[in-house]
Amino acid sequence: MNKNSKIWMAVVVGVVAAFLVAVLVLHPSFQLTAVTDIVESLLVASGAASFVPLTRRAKGRMRLFWSLIILWITLWCGYELCWVYFEVIVRRDVPDLFAGDVILFLNIVPLMAALALRPHVPRDEYAARLGRLDFTLLLVWWIYLYVLIVIPWQYVVPNISAYNNNLNQAYSVEKLVLLTGLVACWIGSKGQWRKLYGSLFGMSFGYAASSALCNWAIGRKLYYSGSLYDIPLAISMAWVTWIGLRARTEAPEDNLREVTTVYGVWVARCGMIAVFSLPLFAAWAMSDVDVPSAIQEFRLALTLLAAFFMGVMVFLRQYLLDRELTRLLQHSRESFDNLKRLQAQLLQSEKLASIGQLVGGAAHELNNPITAMLGYSDILLSTPLTPEQAPLAAKIGQYVRRTKSLVASLISFSRQASSPKSPLDLNTLARTAVKLTQPQWETLKIEVRTQFDAELPKVLGDSNQLLQVCLQLVGNCLHVMSECGARVLTLSTKLEDECAVLLIATEAMPPLPPRAASLVEPEDGLGMSACQGILQEHHGHISREPQANGAMLLRVELPAAESAPAGARQPKNATVPVLWQSQPFA
């Protein structure tokens, strides 16, 4: 409690002390009545004002909770001001059949609504909507109960004794329900929230006991405004200010797990009990022969009207519930479909993991003979060779080193370890793939053409893995072309949407058989799946684009490296096609 709150509370305590002195010193008179009514009104108004800062700082459901608390105290203050009007301003007693008694009865309803929100427990919006609707149903039931039991003796057949008796009974039942709700909230809360509910229970119990004592004194002609019976009432009213100034509960408890199902079921059951109680009240109204027939007719008409409105609210609640159940069913179906897809992906991942282990083991076994071949090739190069033999021996060493590099790449890929990436020239990778596959396309008598963009920006990646992709794609295309009789394969590069694009195209071909088509589909075949995995690791993509003339086009996209030099761009027609002929190279 800060300094201003302490000063505020000290003023309230001083007002209560002055009131106590006035009760003990003054005799029954107009002055004592005025002091009593005004002091009690000020104490209740102070209580309402003490909760205003909490409402201004809160949001959402918390703001609604504190607003309902303020509404409860405001209605209470309005009832006290009615007494000020009659006993201080008009200077006459409050009428026995007082229309303002309904304020006294209904002022507890906002507090019950605040408790029904259960602000100490986190809840979703759907539960909050249903909770508000259920409480509205119960609110209508409380109003119906008051009008059914109290109003007939006030307006239909005025009877002061019956009116007071029925009003006290209905008010006592309402206060008992409120105290029960406070106890339930106190049990289900912790920390500051438990202190708040405990304080509200103590204040409410003290006020209820004081009111019952005052009613007992009124029945025996012992009560007057400013009597000793008003002291407990004034203390209860001052207690409200202490609660408001001391409250620090502005958010739900994070460590409290909500059991929404149980709570929602019981709230719904209470609403259903309220609806099904209407026929019982109607039967009671018709069977009570001790009351005038006018009251019987009034109660029967009131029950029919209440049944209509409560039936509409039940229908609305069921509509919201059906809509939510439909949404949950759709969500469960989507979750089930996602689960099946996830299971399929998991199974595929397990297969690929097994294949990766197999490939890793085979690659390790290949390392030994490859190392031996590399050593023998180096020894061969160190021996005297003829001019025709030297280039061939060099090629052997070159291919052995390339094979060793590919094996190392397979081992790295099987371990699913991210290799270090550096800026690479996609044109160079494509040219190397063409050179390394030259014996294959020369043997098949296939013509390979290249058209590379000289200003293509570099890409960020692992040279071994990306070269493996190029070799796999070119090799698969050559194999498919050999089966279909195609004779021209074109490799080209270009820049498109900040991506370096490699295009591998064939001339027109007949429709591919399923076995051949699997070699160039990104989703089929072990080799293409490996290419897809490598490209995904490089944030790239591979796709097969169908052509109208039956030609085959593979498209590989890789994002351009941010570190690539900008450079001046040349027109596209500045790139010169190069035809690779069957010629030896070192």
Side-chain angles (χ1 to χ4, degrees):
M1 191 178 293
N2 55 31
K3 182 179 179 181
N4 294 333
S5 299
K6 292 179 179 179
I7 295 175
W8 189 342
M9 195 64 215
V11 172
V12 171
V13 172
V15 171
V16 174
F19 172 72
L20 179 60
V21 172
V23 169
L24 296 176
V25 173
L26 298 178
H27 296 287
S29 61
F30 171 75
Q31 289 78 10
L32 180 59
T33 299
V35 168
T36 301
D37 292 342
I38 293 175
V39 166
E40 290 181 349
S41 299
L42 289 176
L43 291 176
V44 178
S46 173
S50 66
F51 284 92
V52 171
L54 292 171
T55 305
R56 295 178 62 182
R57 290 195 299 267
K59 295 181 180 179
R61 187 159 56 100
M62 292 301 305
R63 173 171 289 184
L64 178 60
F65 172 76
W66 297 119
S67 300
L68 289 172
I69 296 289
I70 293 177
L71 178 60
W72 157 55
I73 307 174
T74 302
L75 292 176
W76 186 5
C77 183
Y79 183 74
E80 295 297 329
L81 291 176
C82 291
W83 282 73
V84 172
Y85 172 78
F86 281 102
E87 294 189 338
V88 178
I89 298 177
V90 183
R91 296 193 179 188
R92 63 185 179 90
D93 293 334
V94 177
D96 293 323
L97 299 176
F98 181 37
D101 287 335
V102 67
I103 301 177
L104 178 66
F105 181 82
L106 294 180
N107 86 92
I108 298 179
V109 175
L111 179 56
M112 296 170 65
L115 298 180
L117 287 175
R118 294 204 304 169
H120 60 282
V121 177
R123 297 173 65 194
D124 57 15
E125 183 60 26
Y126 166 71
R129 288 200 306 270
L130 281 186
R132 289 192 291 266
L133 188 59
D134 289 330
F135 180 78
T136 303
L137 184 65
L138 297 177
L139 172 62
V140 172
W141 185 83
W142 279 110
I143 296 175
Y144 160 77
L145 183 66
Y146 179 83
V147 177
L148 180 75
I149 297 177
V150 180
I151 293 299
W153 303 110
Q154 185 176 7
Y155 295 107
V156 181
V157 180
N159 187 316
I160 296 176
S161 176
Y163 171 81
N164 290 330
N165 183 57
N166 284 274
L167 176 61
N168 291 334
Q169 290 181 359
Y171 190 46
S172 298
V173 172
E174 187 183 33
K175 287 186 289 187
L176 180 61
V177 173
L178 172 63
L179 293 175
T180 303
L182 286 170
V183 170
C185 290
W186 180 83
I187 294 175
S189 60
K190 298 179 181 178
Q192 294 295 326
W193 282 105
R194 171 166 285 196
K195 294 179 181 179
L196 173 65
Y197 291 134
S199 300
L200 288 175
F201 175 82
M203 184 279 304
S204 301
F205 182 80
Y207 184 79
S210 302
S211 299
L213 184 61
C214 291
N215 290 333
W216 176 85
I218 291 173
R220 286 159 178 76
K221 307 297 183 181
L222 301 175
Y223 177 82
Y224 59 89
S225 295
S227 64
L228 294 176
Y229 300 103
D230 282 323
I231 295 177
L233 291 176
I235 295 175
S236 299
M237 295 171 181
W239 197 344
V240 177
T241 301
W242 181 79
I243 295 173
L245 295 177
R246 185 170 172 266
R248 291 293 180 269
T249 50
E250 301 178 10
E253 299 178 16
D254 296 332
N255 59 344
L256 187 65
R257 186 177 66 178
E258 178 193 12
V259 187
T260 48
T261 304
V262 175
Y263 175 77
V265 167
W266 276 107
V267 171
R269 286 176 179 175
C270 291
M272 292 301 101
I273 291 174
V275 172
F276 287 120
S277 67
L278 297 181
L280 300 178
F281 281 116
W284 168 73
M286 296 178 63
S287 62
D288 191 1
V289 295
D290 294 334
V291 301
S293 59
I295 293 181
Q296 288 183 332
E297 295 174 357
F298 172 81
R299 287 175 171 172
L300 184 60
L302 175 67
T303 302
L304 293 176
L305 185 63
F308 172 76
F309 283 104
M310 295 178 73
V312 171
M313 283 185 285
V314 169
F315 174 80
L316 179 60
R317 187 188 190 282
Q318 189 62 39
Y319 169 75
L320 292 176
L321 183 61
D322 290 344
R323 192 170 66 174
E324 182 66 14
L325 290 177
T326 302
R327 186 188 68 83
L328 291 176
L329 178 60
Q330 181 65 27
H331 180 69
S332 64
R333 288 176 177 172
E334 294 176 356
S335 300
F336 181 71
D337 294 338
N338 293 334
L339 179 60
K340 290 196 297 184
R341 284 194 293 269
L342 182 60
Q343 289 176 339
Q345 293 175 0
L346 181 61
L347 181 61
Q348 183 67 17
S349 299
E350 292 177 351
K351 291 181 179 179
L352 291 177
S354 300
I355 294 174
Q357 294 178 356
L358 178 62
V359 170
H364 278 293
E365 293 297 328
L366 289 174
N367 263 334
N368 294 330
I370 290 176
T371 303
M373 292 168 60
L374 184 59
Y376 287 128
S377 66
D378 292 339
I379 294 174
L380 181 62
L381 285 173
S382 64
T383 59
L385 299 173
T386 64
E388 293 80 10
Q389 295 173 339
L392 297 176
K395 284 186 178 181
I396 293 175
Q398 180 182 357
Y399 279 109
V400 171
R401 287 183 174 84
R402 179 62 203 144
T403 304
K404 184 175 180 61
S405 176
L406 290 177
V407 169
S409 178
L410 283 175
I411 294 175
S412 175
F413 184 73
S414 66
R415 293 174 179 173
Q416 297 182 351
S418 298
S419 303
K421 297 178 176 59
S422 59
L424 302 172
D425 185 1
L426 187 59
N427 293 337
T428 301
L429 292 175
R431 287 192 183 98
T432 304
V434 171
K435 288 183 179 180
L436 293 177
T437 57
Q438 182 176 1
Q440 183 179 357
W441 52 263
E442 282 183 343
T443 303
L444 298 174
K445 301 186 183 306
I446 294 177
E447 180 183 349
V448 177
R449 299 174 181 176
T450 61
Q451 185 176 1
F452 298 138
D453 185 355
E455 296 299 326
L456 187 71
K458 294 184 177 181
V459 297
L460 196 65
D462 178 80
S463 59
N464 289 330
Q465 290 185 345
L466 292 182
L467 181 57
Q468 177 186 345
V469 171
C470 295
L471 288 172
Q472 183 74 44
L473 297 181
V474 173
N476 287 4
C477 289
L478 292 175
H479 184 74
V480 171
M481 294 172 64
S482 66
E483 292 191 0
C484 298
R487 288 292 176 263
V488 178
L489 179 66
T490 303
L491 281 75
S492 60
T493 58
K494 64 178 180 177
L495 177 64
E496 185 177 303
D497 297 332
E498 301 300 326
C499 288
V501 181
L502 171 63
L503 300 175
I504 304 177
T506 68
E507 62 180 355
M509 297 186 304
L512 299 179
R515 183 174 61 86
S518 64
L519 295 176
V520 290
E521 289 293 342
E523 295 80 6
D524 300 329
L526 178 59
M528 295 299 288
S529 297
C531 293
Q532 185 78 290
I534 293 174
L535 290 174
Q536 288 179 356
E537 184 181 348
H538 288 75
H539 307 288
H541 177 68
I542 180 175
S543 61
R544 178 190 174 191
E545 299 180 358
Q547 303 297 307
N549 59 357
M552 181 179 63
L553 176 63
L554 295 181
R555 179 186 180 93
V556 177
E557 297 181 6
L558 289 168
E562 296 179 355
S563 58
R569 294 224 167 264
Q570 299 179 359
K572 294 290 184 179
N573 54 14
T575 59
V576 180
V578 179
L579 177 63
W580 286 92
Q581 303 292 347
S582 301
Q583 55 184 356
F585 62 94

